Structures are given as structure tokens and as C-alpha cells.
Amino acid sequence: MEIGISIALILASGLMILLVLLHKGKGGGLSDMFGGGFSSNFGGSSVVERNLDRLTVITGTVWFVCIIALGLLMKP
């Protein structure tokens, strides 16, 4: 059980990193420093951003549940 949740946690973590990096920069932060300002001018549609936001929230929820489940399973 712990191995399955650990694998789910690793997958959710990798997907979360990818999804956060896919968000366009809002300006003035680190994303502009590394070229995010340039790519955000070419932006996508608002529907794509909304779906990306939803997928990020769902992935974050899965990640959080995996952390809690592992904490409860490993508790002595």
C-alpha cells in the first residue's frame, strides 16, 4: 500500500512541476527573468488557461491526499 501511494506521490509531484511551469507569467516575477515575459505575449486562449488551472488544482489535491495518506500509514 505504501509503495503504491509513494509512486502516486512521485507522479503527482512531477505532474505538478510541469503544470506550474506551463502557466504563463503574470509579470514582474522570476518568469520574466527567464523569458516568461516574452512567451506570455503570445499567450493562449482563456479556456486553455482555465483548464490548466483546474488540472493544477486537481493535481495539487491528489498530491496533498497522498502526503496525508503516507503520513497516516507510516505513523507508529
Side-chain angles (χ1 to χ4, degrees), residues 41-74:
N41 290 336
F42 298 111
S45 77
S46 61
V47 174
V48 174
E49 268 302 310
R50 195 174 315 125
N51 288 336
L52 187 61
D53 289 341
R54 288 179 186 154
L55 193 57
T56 305
V57 169
I58 291 169
T59 305
T61 304
V62 169
W63 182 83
F64 183 74
V65 168
C66 287
I67 292 288
I68 297 298
L70 274 178
L72 291 175
L73 284 174
M74 295 180 140

Side-chain angles (χ1 to χ4, degrees), residues 4 8 13 16 19 30-31 47-48 59 65:
S13 297
M16 186 67 130
L19 290 173
L30 285 176
S31 63
V47 174
V48 174
T59 305
V65 168

